[in-house]
Amino acid sequence: MTKKLERGKDNEQERRYQEYRMKQNNIVIDAITSRILRIHSAEMQKDEVCETVSFAIEENMPKEEIKVSEDGKTGRREWKTDDLTVLMDRQGRLSIYNQEDVLLCADYAGNRKQEQTLSEEELEQLRMEGHDAQSEKEALSFCVTKALYGDETIYGLGDKTGFLNKMGYDYMMWNSDNPEPHVENQTFKALYKSIPFFIVVRDACVYGIFLDNTYRSYLDMGYESSQYYYFGAAGGTLDYYFISGDTIAEVIKGYTMLTGRAPLPQMWTLGYQQSRWSYESEEEVLALAEKFREYGIPCDAIHLDIDYMERFKVFTVDQKKFPDMKKLSDKLADMGIKLVTIIDPGTKIEEGYDVYEEGVQKNFFAKDEEGNIYQNVVWPGDSVYPDFTSEKVREWWGNLTKRLTLQGVRGIWNDMNEPASFCGPLPDDVVFAGDGKERQHKEVHNIYGHLMAKATYEGLKRNDGRRPYVITRACYSGTQKYSTAWTGDNQSLWAHLQMSIPQLLNLGMSGMPMVGTDIGGFGANATPELFSRWIEASCFAPLFRNHSAKDTRRQEPWRFGEETLEVSRKYIALRYKFLPYLYDLCYEETQTGMPLLRSLVMHYQQDKNVRECNDEYLVGDKILMAPVVQQGMRARMVYLPEGTWVDYWTKERITGGRYILREAPLDVCPMYIKGDSILPVYAPMQSIEPENITKLTLEYYPADGREASYTHYQDNGVDFDYQQGKYNLYQFICCQDKPQEMQTVMLHEGYRKYQEICVECR
Ligand code: MIG
């Protein structure tokens, strides 16, 4: 037992602390499963007006029995499921144990030691020199402090800058469009996405915590003190989930059971996509498509950035630049290329513009505290913001996508949905009326992009019937159900190429598997070498898109000369070759929440060498990529985890559990296949047309003579028929007596539910 707390009379911090402790005495713990607990404050239940709506958890969750008991004498309370025991001491501190009585996680026993804040005068001096000096942190309406034991590494937290291990940094959840180069320093506590979920790996255990709160939130991962980490929010009440499991995979499975999983994508969306701010005319787009075919570079999509619209008015098309979008999309379709268009939330204020007028008439836009429609400035100039917290608005917006899909557009790219604004931030008290339940901007901000993506997904699904293709910049927990995401405005910097790996891996460990960065970098100018290394490093990024900003060096694969063109061709072809593997991983993700790109720690949790590995990743569990992300490097150190690995390029077998040195000339991205794996590959293609795919080749990588097996998933790659059982599952087994390194199998023509087909690779 810790010593009794002394009550400092006029100590505000102390008072808040006591208040929090008292609240903690009112906490309710529900069991979702025997390994997932919801820990929330009791007030939420008493308050009947404020029903507990979660924007991340939309389905009714199961509840499992939890046994509560209280010791009248000691005041200790205990909650018990089949797997977990939670003890609460008299001070309201929780300790969570597993079945073996291992302490997994406990509230910190001491007080927080907040750093002294500077005086206003000192702050003013700093500001004069141009520092972004901020006064004291804002008051939190609750704060949970958990003990650190020194052996933790922490993962997740969405798209935050920096490295794989989040330990030692503090973060803020407040969706932010910040044009400065994204770096790991303290300026970048917040980025575009708010995914308040993290995984703590310790030597003896692993668990995850999901703070389900949409207000500005703070998550300090041992920055303030090495003794504890804490999380809290500027609004709302205490409500978080504790997710335990034996492995990181199980924690992710639990988290994605709560917040949902990315549905199967249309297969073509796994292809290479070319974007630029902006391809500005029909002729330019056609010429671009033809170039790809001329150079023999596979390509499945071209993206149209904001300039395709008529003066940035959403759901319009500039008739001068694109006189016949339908004809254009038909021509592109003949070449196997799809059009994707950007849509921002900011709606132009203009008389006679029907989207604006209808929205005004139906009360669909957010308002200021006096009840006037709230305006700010974005690309269209004076603009208003649709209230996506209202289902009616979402339905309206979703149906507006028909204007584009009827012209052949096959995907919607949602930008600026933090929401971003040019004329200062939206005030905290802007009102979102919802469907009767009013909310202020400070509560809605972090879910604005999430709800916009939801509106878009549902609209596309209703009206088009194919699996919706949405890309979004802003996210909240659960956005993976509706959308893929990109990491926003990176720059053509080596530091950003380096960061792309931990960013994508942490997004994956935050439940968002379908992600990518702007290949080549968005802002600034790429060099041929940087571009080459970027396309190598992103070769298996689920969202495989090259994008760049206006006024920067053009970034199409042929813009940098012959050598870069060759590298691009090689790695884009490699991507298409392994498409069936990627698509199988998408299927696996729908079952387990496991992302396609995985940090090494996910599969080799006990290996301390991989807990902070920032420059390698696994694709599924069978491919290991070790891209070169340093300028000038022509060799690199590669860590291979335990087991036998086969060098993809030389076919050399290498024993893992150690570092090796690998030569890596500009056209080589070190790549290893886990020994005794079977991998499915497709024949070369220029674009993905699942209906034309009739065969599959199995590549076998023998190593230690273990039996190899592989499960392959096949469906039409387009619509939702698979939900009616129209898919095939193949089981391939390799027999060891006379293994063959390659084998081609014919795929079935129709889709019948679950077939176990054994093909012997020999
Ligand atoms: O204020 O639409 O992140 O991908 O090209 C910039 C123009 C707005 C930001 C996006 C970027 C896009 C750009 N947009």
Side-chain angles (χ1 to χ4, degrees):
M1 278 284 147
T2 48
K3 74 175 167 87
K4 241 179 95 188
L5 285 167
E6 279 164 2
R7 187 165 297 191
K9 268 196 201 103
D10 31 37
N11 184 337
E12 168 64 14
Q13 187 192 329
E14 182 67 16
R15 194 188 60 73
R16 280 219 293 272
Y17 183 71
Q18 288 298 342
E19 209 173 74
Y20 158 65
R21 287 283 188 242
M22 268 148 61
K23 273 193 194 158
Q24 266 220 330
N25 277 309
N26 278 324
I27 63 165
V28 177
I29 301 183
D30 302 324
I32 308 300
T33 69
S34 62
R35 291 182 149 204
I36 303 178
L37 305 177
R38 179 179 175 206
I39 301 172
H40 54 122
S41 73
E43 294 100 309
M44 283 179 75
Q45 293 213 322
K46 282 191 233 129
D47 185 351
E48 279 158 11
V49 197
C50 168
E51 83 280 30
T52 62
V53 183
S54 168
F55 287 93
I57 301 169
E58 295 173 28
E59 303 291 320
N60 285 328
M61 276 295 130
K63 250 196 192 183
E64 207 150 286
E65 205 202 336
I66 186 159
K67 292 193 200 79
V68 194
S69 58
E70 188 154 3
D71 182 330
K73 267 202 216 117
T74 60
R76 275 163 51 121
R77 262 199 276 173
E78 188 187 271
W79 290 260
K80 231 175 167 16
T81 70
D82 288 346
D83 287 294
L84 297 172
T85 303
V86 187
L87 289 178
M88 187 166 82
D89 67 16
R90 267 211 302 232
Q91 279 79 36
R93 289 188 290 255
L94 303 180
S95 307
I96 307 177
Y97 298 85
N98 70 8
Q99 252 180 345
E100 287 84 47
D101 265 346
V102 175
L103 176 63
L104 303 176
C105 169
D107 287 344
Y108 179 59
N111 288 332
R112 266 184 62 195
K113 296 169 209 70
Q114 277 169 285
E115 251 176 62
Q116 249 198 316
T117 46
L118 299 177
S119 69
E120 242 337 287
E121 196 187 333
E122 287 170 304
L123 286 167
E124 202 39 55
Q125 280 168 353
L126 285 173
R127 286 186 198 120
M128 268 160 58
E129 211 200 342
H131 296 274
D132 176 28
Q134 277 162 21
S135 40
E136 209 187 342
K137 278 190 181 154
E138 77 187 297
L140 302 181
S141 61
F142 63 88
C143 177
V144 180
T145 313
K146 303 272 187 205
L148 285 170
Y149 303 93
D151 62 346
E152 293 88 353
T153 46
I154 299 183
Y155 309 101
L157 294 173
D159 63 343
K160 297 290 180 264
T161 58
F163 305 98
L164 193 65
N165 179 8
K166 297 310 193 192
M167 188 63 198
Y169 291 91
D170 70 327
Y171 296 100
M172 176 169 75
M173 294 297 171
W174 186 252
N175 291 354
S176 304
D177 171 24
N178 189 335
E180 301 288 313
H182 305 158
V183 289
E184 81 272 13
N185 74 16
Q186 293 302 322
T187 321
F188 276 87
K189 293 181 182 184
L191 213 54
Y192 305 98
K193 299 168 181 63
S194 289
I195 307 185
F197 169 67
F198 57 91
I199 300 172
V200 179
V201 173
R202 297 188 53 203
D203 292 341
C205 67
V206 55
Y207 64 88
I209 285 186
F210 167 43
L211 171 64
D212 194 6
N213 186 300
T214 70
Y215 290 86
R216 200 154 32 233
S217 309
Y218 298 87
L219 296 102
D220 179 312
M221 302 288 119
Y223 165 74
E224 186 174 274
S225 161
S226 56
Q227 305 286 299
Y228 56 82
Y229 66 89
Y230 75 80
F231 52 90
T237 48
L238 179 84
D239 192 0
Y240 69 97
Y241 292 79
F242 178 84
I243 304 163
S244 72
D246 292 334
T247 57
I248 297 177
E250 279 180 27
V251 173
I252 291 176
K253 194 171 185 182
Y255 172 71
T256 54
M257 181 200 117
L258 292 172
T259 61
R261 297 191 180 127
L264 276 172
Q266 287 187 61
M267 200 191 260
W268 69 264
T269 67
L270 294 173
Y272 176 78
Q273 310 185 31
Q274 184 64 50
S275 184
R276 169 89 182 164
W277 177 19
S278 294
Y279 296 123
E280 295 220 22
S281 68
E282 198 175 287
E283 298 81 62
E284 191 181 0
V285 171
L286 275 175
L288 179 73
E290 273 152 19
K291 272 262 191 261
F292 273 98
R293 296 306 171 239
E294 195 183 309
Y295 282 116
I297 296 182
C299 177
D300 265 272
I302 292 174
H303 290 236
L304 300 184
D305 207 325
I306 46 176
D307 300 287
Y308 79 88
M309 293 181 253
E310 190 207 326
R311 286 176 299 123
F312 306 123
K313 287 188 288 187
V314 288
F315 302 110
T316 69
V317 173
D318 187 321
Q319 295 301 311
K320 279 194 244 70
K321 299 171 179 168
F322 293 94
D324 194 342
M325 192 77 118
K326 181 75 180 72
K327 213 164 109 200
L328 172 64
S329 57
D330 285 345
K331 275 194 200 157
L332 291 172
D334 288 342
M335 303 163 83
I337 293 177
K338 279 92 177 166
L339 271 184
V340 175
T341 52
I342 199 168
I343 286 288
D344 293 353
T347 305
K348 188 176 179 62
I349 299 180
E350 187 179 282
E351 240 178 83
Y353 169 37
D354 63 344
V355 177
Y356 168 69
E357 289 196 333
E358 190 182 347
V360 171
Q361 192 214 327
K362 295 193 170 151
N363 254 322
F364 282 173
F365 298 118
K367 298 195 168 156
D368 65 21
E369 81 283 16
E370 269 138 36
N372 307 308
I373 295 180
Y374 174 77
Q375 327 185 357
N376 203 308
V377 176
V378 261
W379 287 105
D382 289 339
S383 302
V384 293
Y385 292 83
D387 172 10
F388 294 119
T389 67
S390 154
E391 191 164 350
K392 278 187 238 115
V393 176
R394 289 201 298 272
E395 210 178 298
W396 171 65
W397 192 265
N399 288 341
L400 284 169
T401 61
K402 261 197 285 190
R403 294 190 183 180
L404 293 162
T405 51
L406 288 175
Q407 302 182 69
V409 168
R410 294 288 298 275
I412 303 282
W413 163 25
N414 285 166
D415 187 22
M416 305 292 279
N417 51 358
E418 292 70 34
S421 48
F422 294 170
C423 258
L426 277 70
D428 273 355
D429 59 3
V430 166
V431 178
F432 294 79
D435 299 306
K437 164 117 184 66
E438 250 183 35
R439 289 185 179 84
Q440 291 189 319
H441 174 238
K442 62 182 173 193
E443 184 182 357
V444 171
H445 184 83
N446 285 343
I447 45 170
Y448 194 78
H450 172 83
L451 294 174
M452 183 187 187
K454 176 179 163 114
T456 309
Y457 176 88
E458 286 172 351
L460 288 173
K461 188 169 180 185
R462 244 189 339 267
N463 295 306
D464 182 77
R466 287 176 282 215
R467 303 172 198 167
Y469 183 35
V470 186
I471 309 169
T472 183
R473 196 169 69 175
C475 296
Y476 181 64
S477 286
T479 306
Q480 66 269 13
K481 295 188 283 283
Y482 309 118
S483 185
T484 68
W486 93 108
T487 54
D489 297 346
N490 60 1
Q491 300 202 11
S492 302
L493 303 172
W494 287 92
H496 281 183
L497 170 58
Q498 286 151 23
M499 191 174 70
S500 71
I501 298 173
Q503 247 183 337
L504 297 183
L505 297 179
N506 274 319
L507 277 162
M509 287 192 277
S510 311
M512 290 228 57
M514 305 309 287
V515 290
T517 60
D518 283 350
I519 293 171
F522 174 74
N525 300 318
T527 61
E529 185 188 355
L530 177 65
F531 184 82
S532 300
R533 292 307 195 186
W534 212 310
I535 200 120
E536 291 173 7
S538 315
C539 171
F540 292 115
L543 176 59
F544 189 42
R545 187 182 75 153
N546 173 346
H547 181 51
S548 53
K550 238 176 213 183
D551 213 23
T552 63
R553 181 173 188 170
R554 299 197 74 98
Q555 252 170 222
E556 295 83 15
W558 49 85
R559 295 280 179 178
F560 300 91
E562 202 50 45
E563 199 183 8
T564 315
L565 174 63
E566 273 317 310
V567 170
S568 303
R569 199 182 270 129
K570 177 173 168 186
Y571 286 88
I572 297 174
L574 187 71
R575 159 73 167 224
Y576 279 73
K577 174 178 171 181
F578 282 104
L579 271 173
Y581 181 54
L582 288 179
Y583 194 62
D584 285 338
L585 290 173
C586 290
Y587 170 72
E588 183 187 338
E589 183 276 333
T590 63
Q591 310 298 303
T592 63
M594 280 293 262
L596 285 68
L597 302 192
R598 302 173 191 171
S599 55
L600 273 56
V601 67
M602 290 178 71
H603 285 291
Y604 303 92
Q605 198 175 311
Q606 292 316 320
D607 184 344
K608 288 194 183 165
N609 290 321
V610 301
R611 293 199 184 156
E612 299 189 272
C613 180
N614 290 297
D615 59 358
E616 297 179 24
Y617 62 86
L618 295 163
V619 187
D621 66 350
K622 295 183 171 47
I623 298 180
L624 184 149
M625 297 295 278
V628 173
V629 292
Q630 303 282 344
Q631 192 277 335
M633 283 284 190
R634 294 295 180 270
R636 65 158 284 177
M637 193 167 74
V638 176
Y639 183 75
L640 293 174
E642 65 179 12
T644 304
W645 295 86
V646 181
D647 184 309
Y648 177 74
W649 304 110
T650 64
K651 305 289 178 263
E652 184 193 348
R653 289 176 211 177
I654 307 164
T655 307
R658 65 191 173 110
Y659 291 94
I660 58 165
L661 191 67
R662 174 65 162 95
E663 300 218 336
L666 191 56
D667 68 336
V668 173
C669 177
M671 172 170 163
Y672 302 86
I673 311 291
K674 195 174 170 191
D676 293 321
S677 293
I678 296 173
L679 284 173
V681 303
Y682 285 154
M685 56 177 80
Q686 291 292 294
S687 63
I688 302 167
E689 279 142 55
E691 69 278 14
N692 295 335
I693 297 169
T694 53
K695 336 176 254 212
L696 190 70
T697 298
L698 302 173
E699 288 189 350
Y700 171 54
Y701 295 83
D704 303 320
R706 269 173 294 134
E707 189 184 84
S709 72
Y710 184 84
T711 306
H712 174 62
Y713 173 84
Q714 179 205 19
D715 66 12
N716 69 23
V718 176
D719 57 28
F720 288 91
D721 274 7
Y722 70 92
Q723 292 178 344
Q724 264 65 59
K726 295 198 172 161
Y727 61 89
N728 298 323
L729 276 177
Y730 302 78
Q731 182 77 29
F732 302 124
I733 294 169
C734 185
C735 298
Q736 290 303 320
D737 41 338
K738 226 174 105 208
Q740 222 177 279
E741 304 222 333
M742 272 228 271
Q743 167 106 1
T744 298
V745 292
M746 296 308 289
L747 292 169
H748 282 249
E749 262 173 49
Y751 306 108
R752 270 161 290 158
K753 190 172 182 171
Y754 201 90
Q755 310 174 13
E756 195 149 324
I757 304 162
C758 287
V759 175
E760 295 194 349
C761 289
R762 60 168 184 158

